[in-house]
Amino acid sequence: MSSRPLPDRRDFVTGKTPVQSLAQNVMERMPSPSLFFFRQFLKSPGMVGSIVPTARATIDRLLDPVDWSATRCVVEYGPGTGVFTRAILERLPRTARLVAIDTSADFVAHLRTSIDDSRLLCVNGSAADVESILADHGLGKADYIVSGLPFSTLPKGLDKAIMAATARAIRPGGQFLVYQYSEYVLPLLRAEFSHVVSRWSWLCVPPARLFWAHKASAPGFSAEVEPAGDRVVQNPDDLIGKPPAQ
């Protein structure tokens, strides 16, 4: 029995396949920022990591525990259309700076035209170069770095390079705030940070895994262990959002 190719079921009027028609219908129904984000995902799925921006409930769950009052410098990796960027700016002191780093020139251009805030510095570059980016703009160590980069789909070796650069770029006592849709990033965080506090955010699709990774504030700082043999701290709420050492 010979196999025959499936018929090309294109619409007689539009010339589109059913899948193409469905994709167009989905994009036409999306709000403008979400549509822009979706198009960027189609261009670089390995770097964007999601087809829609992060839900506000997840954003608040990651950022709310942090004491922003003494913050001077924050870095954001992969700001996309700026949903986290805007939420950070809402919390940031007037004299602080937010450096948003994205490899997509389209996302950077979008942020520059859609957010009018003197505290925001948008950079088209790689998170692996965070140290030189901060130095080039006369900024010191970051108090906090926030990231939604899809570490599991980054090019080989780039995940570890970004994690190591991040640990060096954060001041002692500072934190790396991470939201992911898998636990791939966990061993990378363990290798560079003293405490890793982990929570789930169920109010988004799919559920997101949130991490607050703490950099030691003094020599000899030891990680709390829970459960035995695991450096991920599940319950100590006093560690989440601990202000950076001055």
Side-chain angles (χ1 to χ4, degrees), residues 26-40:
V26 169
M27 288 191 291
E28 287 175 350
R29 291 173 180 270
M30 283 183 176
S32 181
S34 297
L35 174 57
F36 179 71
F37 192 95
F38 181 62
R39 285 173 173 165
Q40 295 304 308

Side-chain angles (χ1 to χ4, degrees), residues 125-137:
S126 171
D129 300 321
V130 60
E131 295 169 285
S132 61
I133 290 172
L134 289 173
D136 289 346
H137 292 89

